[in-house]
Amino acid sequence: MNFEWLKRAMPRGLYGRAALILFLPVVVVTVVVTVMFLQRHFEDVTRQMTSGMASEIALVAARIDAAPDIAAARDSARQIAGPLGLDLVLPAAEEGADDHVFYDLSGRIVIAELHDRLPEVRAVDLGLRREVRVTLHGRWGPYQLVFPRVRVSASNPHQLLVLMVGTSLLMTAIATIFLRNQLRPIRRLARAAEEYGKGRIIPYRPAGASEIRSAGTAFLEMRARIERQNEQRKQMLSGVSHDLRTPLTRLRLGLSMLSPDYPPEPGEIAALEGDVAAMGTMVDAFLDHARDAAQDAPPQSVPALDFLRSIVADAQRGGQAVRLHELTGDEAGRATFSRDSLRRAIENLIGNAVRYGERAEVDAALGPSYFRISIEDDGPGIPPEKREEALKPFTRLDPARNQNQGQGVGLGLAIAADIARAHGGQLRLGEGERLGGLRAEIVIPR
């Protein structure tokens, strides 16, 4: 079957669909219960009341049929009909026919019950609704008994409907207010995401139910991570352009000083080759970082301490003066992270440590909810006021950005910090307590 028409008829917005999900079952259940209750309750009550009324009518009919003549029948019947609240019309003009309005549900039951219990009944007129006219055929011809309608059916059945409708409207209003309050945080989150997709950042604070708060917090973390990556990309591009400007200037100057009549001196050629090599190193570092970030493997559960031992062992085989100092925690404990990216971050920190110091030591702690890796060296360290700046790309804490100092391009700490943030952790820089140099510490959740 094709339900496309139903999809087109459904509300498009979240508020409309939530209201439909909330109110449609309530309305359906209320209608079904109401119909069943009214049908069962008023049908049974009407039958009981009509049955009692039929007994009284039968008593009057028996008096009429037992009388010797019509006058005696009239007098005898009225003696009983009066105390019973019945008006007698004897003889009646005509028998007539059954009559009731179409929406009079209990009227059908009254007519059917009187015909079943009193074979002499010829017609039941409920057209006036306030009274019942029962036409019977007796020994002296047709006659009528008239009595109030309340004698055979429950009065004021609309009170239940009014009470039910009023209560339903009240509860619907309360549910609408509650639903609006619950959907408002979702709409705020959707608006914040939509605006961010257009390049605009608007204030947003997670609120609402725990699931919505969790989604809002995840959105803020994602937005912050994207902004950090954008900022890092800008800093990298700015750093590359700035650092390339110096060797390019020297190249231009060196080329302008070459004479077309005399071959260049070996020192001049060596200087130009050094500038070209420095530019190649910088571009390669930038491309390696971009390529490695794009090829990161997804996080997986890894034996944490064995993973760190393998990194230190590889560094030692590579000739780096690094050793394991202390590993604490469950030897078989595992942590969830990307092996390639975290290895790259630790190797960068070890490389920085042995580059600016003579030796480095690695500590690790595997806690109940965290994995901490610390690399400490005996180098000059970084002053506290410059540690935040050191985490920026292409930063070597040298105002002149001299390419001849150090062997890196200032990406090691920036890459490590970015990898730690991608794992939901952070990179902290401090002063080493044992060796006195820089202590770089990566902390990520397990």
Side-chain angles (χ1 to χ4, degrees):
M1 297 180 64
N2 189 357
F3 294 99
E4 291 297 329
W5 64 270
L6 183 60
K7 294 181 180 179
R8 291 192 296 268
M10 290 296 100
R12 297 290 184 180
L14 178 62
Y15 188 82
R17 293 188 176 185
L20 185 64
I21 293 173
L22 178 63
F23 298 132
L24 183 60
V26 175
V27 172
V28 172
V29 171
T30 302
V31 171
V32 171
V33 171
T34 301
V35 172
M36 295 299 295
F37 175 78
L38 292 178
Q39 181 179 359
R40 296 293 182 183
H41 175 72
F42 289 109
E43 183 175 333
D44 293 343
V45 171
T46 302
R47 277 201 172 95
Q48 293 176 8
M49 298 178 68
T50 306
S51 176
M53 197 68 221
S55 300
E56 297 178 5
I57 295 174
L59 180 60
V60 175
R63 283 294 186 95
I64 293 176
D65 291 341
D69 54 47
I70 188 170
R74 185 184 304 112
D75 294 338
S76 178
R78 284 177 177 174
Q79 290 177 3
I80 300 176
L84 293 178
L86 303 175
D87 292 335
L88 175 64
V89 179
L90 177 64
E94 55 184 9
E95 295 184 359
D98 295 334
D99 184 25
H100 72 284
V101 294
F102 69 92
Y103 54 85
D104 187 0
L105 301 180
S106 62
R108 298 183 297 102
I109 301 172
V110 172
I111 295 174
E113 191 72 13
L114 290 176
H115 278 288
D116 290 341
R117 292 185 174 273
L118 300 172
E120 58 268 28
V121 173
R122 295 296 181 264
V124 180
D125 184 5
L126 301 176
L128 298 178
R129 298 195 60 193
R130 291 182 178 273
E131 63 181 18
V132 181
R133 292 180 174 271
V134 181
T135 302
L136 302 94
H137 186 80
R139 179 181 178 185
W140 312 107
Y143 60 93
Q144 284 186 344
L145 290 174
V146 183
F147 52 88
R149 174 65 183 272
V150 295
R151 300 282 300 275
V152 290
S153 60
S155 62
N156 298 327
H158 64 280
Q159 291 181 353
L160 176 63
L161 297 176
V162 172
L163 180 61
M164 183 181 61
V165 172
T167 304
S168 300
L169 293 177
L170 177 61
M171 298 307 297
T172 299
I174 296 175
T176 301
I177 296 174
F178 177 78
L179 181 63
R180 180 178 299 175
N181 291 335
Q182 294 301 311
L183 293 180
R184 185 180 294 114
I186 302 179
R187 299 174 67 180
R188 291 180 59 247
L189 174 59
R191 181 172 178 269
E194 183 180 0
E195 292 296 323
Y196 186 66
K198 298 177 181 178
R200 296 188 290 267
I201 297 179
I202 62 175
Y204 171 73
R205 181 175 60 86
S210 58
E211 293 83 357
I212 303 175
R213 288 177 180 269
S214 178
T217 302
F219 166 73
L220 290 179
E221 292 176 353
M222 178 195 68
R223 188 172 71 177
R225 184 164 59 250
I226 293 175
E227 289 301 310
R228 285 195 302 267
Q229 291 175 350
N230 290 338
E231 185 64 24
Q232 183 179 8
R233 183 186 62 181
K234 293 178 183 178
Q235 291 177 353
M236 284 187 175
L237 293 176
S238 176
V240 168
S241 63
H242 184 280
D243 290 348
L244 287 178
R245 189 177 295 113
T246 300
L248 283 174
T249 301
R250 290 200 299 263
L251 280 173
R252 188 181 296 110
L253 181 60
L255 291 174
S256 66
M257 295 180 64
L258 294 178
S259 173
D261 300 327
Y262 301 97
E265 297 291 335
E268 295 176 343
I269 295 176
L272 295 176
E273 290 178 346
D275 290 334
V276 173
M279 294 169 59
T281 300
M282 185 179 306
V283 173
D284 289 342
F286 178 78
L287 294 178
D288 289 342
H289 172 58
R291 181 179 61 253
D292 292 341
Q295 296 177 350
D296 280 345
Q300 55 184 329
S301 180
V302 179
L305 300 184
D306 289 342
F307 168 76
L308 187 60
R309 288 192 183 96
S310 67
I311 295 177
V312 175
D314 292 343
Q316 291 173 344
R317 286 197 300 269
Q320 295 178 321
V322 58
R323 73 180 185 90
L324 283 172
H325 177 261
E326 183 180 12
L327 301 179
T328 60
D330 183 9
E331 284 292 332
R334 306 174 74 89
T336 302
F337 52 82
S338 174
R339 297 177 62 100
D340 297 336
S341 62
L342 190 60
R343 170 181 281 271
R344 183 164 66 250
I346 297 173
E347 288 177 347
N348 283 341
L349 295 179
I350 293 176
N352 280 347
V354 299
R355 180 181 301 124
Y356 295 104
E358 296 183 359
R359 60 193 177 96
E361 293 182 352
V362 178
D363 299 333
L366 187 63
S369 60
Y370 64 89
F371 181 34
R372 185 180 70 241
I373 307 107
S374 303
I375 296 94
E376 185 174 336
D377 61 54
D378 60 351
I382 299 176
E385 66 275 7
K386 292 187 177 181
R387 289 171 186 167
E388 184 177 354
E389 182 183 356
L391 298 178
K392 298 178 180 179
F394 295 100
T395 299
R396 290 182 294 277
L397 304 181
D398 183 5
R401 299 181 69 88
N402 192 336
Q403 302 294 327
N404 296 324
Q405 293 185 3
Q407 300 174 359
V409 295
L411 280 176
L413 291 178
I415 292 175
D418 187 57
I419 291 173
R421 283 193 296 263
H423 284 80
Q426 60 177 332
L427 171 64
R428 299 185 295 220
L429 302 180
E431 185 176 351
E433 297 179 356
R434 297 188 309 275
L435 303 182
L438 178 67
R439 181 180 179 87
E441 191 173 80
I442 290 180
V443 182
I444 62 174
R446 289 184 65 178

